[in-house]
Amino acid sequence: MTSPTVPGATTVRTARLDAFVAEVRAVVDRGLPPAPTAALVGERLAPHLGTPDLLLPQQCLGDPVRYRQHILHAEQDGSFSVVALVWLPGQRTPVHDHVAWCVTGVHRGQESERRYRLVPDGTTGRLVATGDVVNAEGDVCGFAPPGDIHRVRNSCRTTAISLHVYGADIARLGSSVRRVYALPADC
């Protein structure tokens, strides 16, 4: 199926992915605050995860150097984007937060996430780990800034693929990352 041309986005998508994009559009068009929007988008994402007809083979290809981002859709008005991240074993993000609300779901494999909070310390603040989560195929989580500082890694021995829906135009921005944090030695 052919989709509208968006700079940096895949122009060919599956019918299932097109249906999911329409579901996200209906949620975003409601104009709700970020947290309920993320929760509703997460409910729509869950049934599509793990299905063989969601992504095309080329959208499942990784990169040996770092995790790979495939922009699947960027809404023309900039209100949301859908991205597939492909992680080879051991690949990880730096500790970061986001420019907008985000929903992630594991399509294949397993991802580990360490969550942090920033505690004021008189200068720029200090990161404190608040928890570790292992997300398996089919697991969905959503969040909205502030309070979205984390690091994600592929924690399995095979390729992991996750779908991310961001409340921003990732094709234009290039990334959902707002800020990268220096990791203290004890985290």
Side-chain angles (χ1 to χ4, degrees):
M1 173 166 273
T2 303
S3 304
T5 302
V6 177
T10 301
T11 58
V12 178
R13 299 191 304 238
T14 66
R16 180 182 285 275
L17 185 59
D18 276 342
F20 173 63
V21 166
E23 293 174 48
V24 173
R25 184 178 297 120
V27 169
V28 171
D29 285 351
R30 293 175 62 182
L32 298 172
T37 297
L40 290 169
V41 168
E43 290 174 7
R44 271 65 177 181
L45 177 57
H48 298 286
L49 296 172
T51 60
D53 60 341
L54 181 62
L55 299 175
L56 298 169
Q58 63 266 34
Q59 297 164 338
C60 300
L61 297 175
D63 180 310
V65 177
R66 61 178 305 253
Y67 67 92
R68 185 169 181 190
Q69 173 179 274
H70 296 274
I71 300 174
L72 305 174
H73 177 80
E75 192 71 352
Q76 288 185 343
D77 67 2
S79 59
F80 72 92
S81 302
V82 181
V83 176
L85 294 184
V86 181
W87 315 74
L88 299 181
Q91 291 180 333
R92 69 179 60 215
T93 68
V95 178
H96 66 281
D97 61 8
H98 299 87
V99 297
W101 61 264
C102 177
V103 173
T104 65
V106 179
H107 180 59
R108 184 184 304 161
Q110 178 177 292
E111 295 174 357
S112 294
E113 175 186 19
R114 175 162 279 181
R115 296 176 182 170
Y116 300 89
R117 68 182 166 87
L118 191 59
V119 177
D121 70 356
T123 57
T124 60
R126 175 171 168 62
L127 286 179
V128 175
T130 60
D132 292 303
V133 178
V134 176
N135 297 303
E137 184 177 306
D139 288 346
V140 175
C141 66
F143 49 83
D148 61 321
I149 303 170
H150 68 162
R151 176 176 61 189
V152 181
R153 71 180 173 88
N154 176 350
S155 57
C156 62
R157 292 187 175 117
T158 61
T159 298
I161 301 172
S162 51
L163 259 67
H164 297 238
V165 184
Y166 300 109
D169 184 347
I170 301 308
R172 184 179 57 81
L173 297 175
S175 172
S176 70
V177 173
R178 180 179 72 90
R179 179 176 169 188
V180 172
Y181 294 83
L183 188 63
D186 61 349
C187 282

